[in-house]
Amino acid sequence: MEFSLINTQIQKFDGDTVVVFSNSEVTFNDVNIQQLIELNHFESKPGATLLLSLVQGFKASKVLVVGLGDLPNNAKNYIKALTAASGILSSTKTKSAMVAQVDIENFDESWTHKVSARVLKDADYEIQQVGAQEKTGTLENIAIQSTHNDAHELLQGSSIASGMKLARHLGDLPSNICTPTYLAQTAQDLAKEFDLECEILEESDMSALGMGSLLSVSKGSIEPPKLISLSYKGDANSKPIVLVGKGVTFDSGGISLKPGAGMDEMKYDMCGAASVIGTMRAIAEMKPKLNLTIVVPAVENMPAHNASKPGDVVTSMSGQTIEILNTDAEGRLILCDALTYVEKFNPEVVIDTATLTGAVIVALGKHHCGLMANDQDLANDLISAGKESLDTAWQLPLDDEYDELLKSNFADMGNIGGREAGSVTAACFLARYTKNYRWAHLDIAGTAWVSGAKKGATGRPVPLLTQYILDRAK
Ligand code: BES
Ligand code: MN
Ligand code: ZN
């Protein structure tokens, strides 16, 4: 799918379909379209569509009217409208489309270009059935109406969508295919395609580094663990931004076994990993002037005779000991060693993303992801990047009172803090390993995938992370 900007009237576009936006109780400039809107009693509800053929005065054979609701146009309605438009464009096998210029409240034209490219390309994602060939959509060219011709925002939107596509694909793959080894192979393939540095640590390497916490999670599984690092270098002399993504390719809970209902969704417990790999893809496509390293601890959490048991005590790479009170709180056990490991990159900042706690869904639902940080400037930057990319985060506290809940009689800490404030105590656990750098944690358990009839990965928080990184390149 290729994007371009064009500076012509909608009537003169000579491709297949022109997409135009209409507001409730506002008359359309083009009288022919206005007549047809009235004839069809089209009400311009956000995301409603009306497909018109052979409209008088138009070179294109079809005009797709999409509702934006009431003025002023807001960003959420614009995304609804674009997503609806994309559905019609693909079901009508459209090859070339023009998207009419539209003003969105609080955002400028460049933003609109970026979001249009991203949403239209992302809406084209289809779940790939196991064994089937990758399907390619029919839509080849999208021209976005504009009076200026700086197309770099289109590249940004399109690259973010490529990153989201990769993240969604990895998330949607079943855990018998998307294993730690598969994630490592994916990273190596990316390294080859974009000339990145890739390093994969094996179980013996991690053992030599003293990663007793990470290995306590993988030891009950037949799948070998991997610690994946992938680096993009776009600037010779600056410290890297480091992203860490939780890569539990299946979370059965281990000996603290999860209930059966909905357990299939624990294949999505590597969506943190998928999102940092996707973000790396987006950044590698755009090549901004900065350095980015992603680190993925990848394991499978299974019950077995040799799995960790509640009450076991392990020593992390940092030297701190942990009493594993619940083997289902495994995300923090792999992240803590990864967070110690990343010190070797001398990071500017470290941001981890993880499907860490069910409690974050109770706190925030599926709308915002949870954000916790040891540095308020970093938290603020992530909140802004979330608003800009419409992939939002909401901050939760990290006070000492919560940290005290991790006390153990048998080790430096337990791996759970009890029923209350589960997302915060999980982050307090991680905070004990991130004292040497600026750090933020995104709990994406509620936002990385959707359940129900439309079950599937969302690609979040690739937009937020990529926007945060692009903001640093300015
Ligand atoms: N991967 C889960 C968190 C999760 C649960 C994400 C449901 C999405 C939906 C994580 O490893 C986990 O099991 N967390 C436990 C922690 C508890 C044992 C302290 C949880 O949230 O129940
Ligand atoms: Mn778990
Ligand atoms: Zn988990």
Side-chain angles (χ1 to χ4, degrees):
M1 194 181 286
E2 299 288 329
F3 294 93
S4 58
L5 295 175
I6 69 170
N7 186 4
T8 48
Q9 292 176 304
I10 50 174
Q11 292 83 354
K12 295 196 175 133
F13 176 66
D14 61 3
D16 298 329
T17 307
V18 182
V19 179
V20 299
F21 301 95
S22 79
N23 295 100
S24 31
E25 297 172 45
V26 178
T27 317
F28 221 85
N29 282 336
D30 185 284
V31 286
N32 297 311
I33 294 184
Q34 181 58 30
Q35 255 187 3
L36 290 163
I37 283 178
E38 285 168 22
L39 187 72
N40 287 284
H41 301 284
F42 183 68
E43 288 184 52
S44 303
K45 294 248 159 57
T49 56
L50 174 64
L51 184 63
L52 305 169
S53 300
L54 307 172
V55 181
Q56 238 181 54
F58 277 78
K59 268 196 182 154
S61 55
K62 287 182 226 110
V63 174
L64 176 58
V65 186
V66 193
L68 271 181
D70 298 328
L71 280 173
N73 296 319
N74 71 57
K76 286 178 185 172
N77 285 347
Y78 185 55
I79 289 189
K80 264 191 207 159
L82 283 176
T83 307
S86 163
I88 304 283
L89 292 174
S90 74
S91 67
T92 53
K93 307 249 179 285
T94 305
K95 280 192 179 149
S96 63
M98 171 178 179
V99 177
Q101 195 277 331
V102 57
D103 292 324
I104 307 298
E105 192 187 22
N106 298 330
F107 292 105
D108 61 11
E109 205 180 353
S110 313
W111 179 91
T112 310
H113 294 160
K114 180 166 60 183
V115 162
S116 306
R118 173 187 125 199
V119 172
L120 287 169
K121 190 163 162 178
D122 178 55
D124 219 32
Y125 170 82
E126 272 187 57
I127 293 169
Q128 215 176 306
Q129 302 292 332
V130 170
Q133 285 283 309
E134 186 181 344
K135 283 189 211 151
T136 41
T138 45
L139 204 49
E140 287 166 5
N141 294 296
I142 298 178
I144 295 177
Q145 189 181 31
S146 171
T147 47
H148 72 234
N149 56 10
D150 175 7
H152 90 279
E153 306 276 351
L154 294 180
L155 170 67
Q156 289 189 355
S158 167
S159 300
I160 292 170
S162 312
M164 292 172 79
K165 180 180 173 185
L166 176 57
R168 294 177 73 178
H169 175 61
L170 290 171
D172 285 330
L173 282 174
S175 74
N176 59 329
I177 292 177
C178 187
T179 59
T181 305
Y182 188 96
L183 288 178
Q185 186 59 51
T186 304
Q188 280 167 326
D189 293 347
L190 261 192
K192 213 167 176 191
E193 185 175 351
F194 292 101
D195 200 19
L196 310 171
E197 277 171 35
C198 184
E199 188 176 36
I200 312 290
L201 298 193
E202 305 294 334
E203 183 169 14
S204 55
D205 305 317
M206 290 185 260
S207 183
L209 287 169
M211 296 188 172
S213 184
L214 187 156
L215 294 174
S216 76
V217 179
S218 61
K219 70 179 193 162
S221 169
I222 193 85
E223 293 296 339
K226 306 278 174 183
L227 185 69
I228 305 160
S229 309
L230 197 53
S231 295
Y232 160 81
K233 296 214 160 77
D235 183 19
N237 36 26
S238 69
K239 294 174 162 188
I241 296 170
V242 176
L243 304 179
V244 177
K246 172 179 172 183
V248 176
T249 58
F250 189 75
D251 181 12
S252 69
I255 296 297
S256 312
L257 193 65
K258 285 184 181 296
M263 209 206 269
D264 65 289
E265 295 192 6
M266 282 299 116
K267 72 173 182 178
Y268 289 116
D269 211 19
M270 37 54 72
C271 281
S275 74
V276 303
I277 295 171
T279 300
M280 179 55 93
R281 182 177 184 103
I283 293 298
E285 279 189 13
M286 289 182 274
K287 303 195 184 349
K289 254 191 88 181
L290 48 76
N291 297 326
L292 172 68
T293 293
I294 65 164
V295 172
V296 170
V299 303
E300 190 182 61
N301 186 23
M302 295 294 277
H305 67 280
N306 57 340
S308 289
K309 303 169 293 293
D312 287 1
V313 174
V314 297
T315 305
S316 64
M317 183 180 175
S318 71
Q320 301 177 88
T321 57
I322 304 160
E323 184 187 11
I324 302 174
L325 289 163
N326 188 319
T327 65
D328 197 12
E330 84 299 339
R332 61 198 82 180
L333 294 175
I334 65 168
L335 287 169
C336 71
D337 278 340
L339 289 167
T340 302
Y341 178 73
V342 298
E343 285 184 21
K344 77 172 206 154
F345 296 110
N346 188 23
E348 177 64 34
V349 293
V350 178
I351 303 162
D352 79 75
T353 124
T355 49
L356 202 63
T357 64
V360 82
I361 313 176
V362 178
L364 298 174
K366 300 200 146 242
H367 181 49
H368 298 294
C369 71
L371 161 65
M372 283 140 275
N374 67 10
D375 181 287
Q376 195 54 40
D377 290 335
L378 173 57
N380 292 345
D381 288 342
L382 286 165
I383 290 168
S384 319
K387 286 183 180 159
E388 164 94 8
S389 61
L390 306 174
D391 178 7
T392 51
W394 197 269
Q395 193 174 4
L396 298 172
L398 266 189
D399 304 88
D400 294 342
E401 286 81 355
Y402 297 105
D403 179 78
E404 284 162 19
L405 298 170
L406 296 170
K407 200 182 161 322
S408 158
N409 289 348
F410 303 96
D412 293 330
M413 70 200 82
N415 77 329
I416 53 172
R419 271 179 45 80
E420 294 170 6
S423 305
V424 175
T425 52
C428 287
F429 180 97
L430 299 179
R432 292 180 179 221
Y433 298 83
T434 60
K435 296 210 183 325
N436 297 335
Y437 48 73
R438 298 168 68 210
W439 159 78
H441 159 64
L442 297 172
D443 193 334
I444 59 168
T447 56
W449 77 93
V450 292
S451 312
K454 289 190 172 158
K455 191 188 289 179
T458 60
R460 292 178 68 181
V462 171
L464 185 164
L465 291 171
T466 310
Q467 188 59 48
Y468 169 80
I469 296 165
L470 289 175
D471 289 344
R472 306 278 89 62
K474 278 174 196 160

